[in-house]
């Protein structure tokens, strides 16, 4: 069995990863995403449905933060590319 972390994404976020505009993923701590499951070197599969095909990678770094303000700027930019800062839904997410 392959030890791979699965990250389902909406088409919008998936396309940003594929284009290289998005380089980080933000997930809340949960049973599936925690300090035991998210570890350096672990394989990752990102997918938007089954039609778009999967993209694979490896975790080369991660950050655990209690709030948006605790993330380093390079991580913030990797999660939400600069052009998305004008997106109403992204702004609402950041404010929540």
């Amino acid at each position: 069995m392959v030890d791979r972390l699965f990250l389902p994404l909406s088409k919008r976020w998936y396309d940003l990863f594929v284009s290289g505009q998005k380089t980080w993923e933000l997930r809340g701590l949960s049973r599936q995403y925690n300090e035991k499951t998210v570890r350096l070197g672990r394989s990752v599969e990102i997918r938007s449905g089954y039609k778009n095909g999967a993209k694979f990678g490896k975790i080369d770094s991660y950050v655990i933060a209690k709030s948006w303000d605790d993330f380093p700027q390079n991580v913030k930019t990797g999660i939400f590319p600069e052009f998305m800062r004008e997106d109403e839904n992204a702004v609402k997410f950041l404010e929540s």
Side-chain angles (χ1 to χ4, degrees):
M1 183 170 157
V2 177
D3 179 32
R4 180 170 46 225
L5 187 63
F6 181 65
L7 295 171
L9 300 172
S10 69
K11 181 170 178 6
R12 179 182 197 184
W13 298 112
Y14 174 85
D15 289 345
L16 288 170
F17 260 115
V18 171
S19 72
Q21 293 176 292
K22 181 170 169 52
T23 56
W24 282 79
E25 177 61 5
L26 177 65
R27 297 286 165 140
L29 289 174
S30 67
R31 188 171 149 211
Q32 185 174 357
Y33 306 107
N34 59 62
E35 292 179 35
K36 290 182 181 178
T37 62
V38 178
R39 58 186 183 277
L40 295 177
R42 186 170 185 191
S43 295
V44 177
E45 175 182 349
I46 63 169
R47 184 180 285 277
S48 175
Y50 291 98
K51 295 178 185 176
N52 292 324
K55 299 297 178 190
F56 300 92
K58 292 204 180 274
I59 297 171
D60 63 7
S61 60
Y62 64 92
V63 174
I64 297 175
K66 294 183 183 212
S67 74
W68 180 250
D69 293 333
D70 292 341
F71 283 103
Q73 186 58 45
N74 69 314
V75 174
K76 290 179 182 179
T77 303
I79 294 169
F80 286 106
E82 290 297 325
F83 74 90
M84 292 206 59
R85 303 295 168 92
E86 304 299 319
D87 181 286
E88 183 179 316
N89 291 326
V91 171
K92 283 180 184 176
F93 176 82
L94 294 177
E95 292 173 349
S96 63

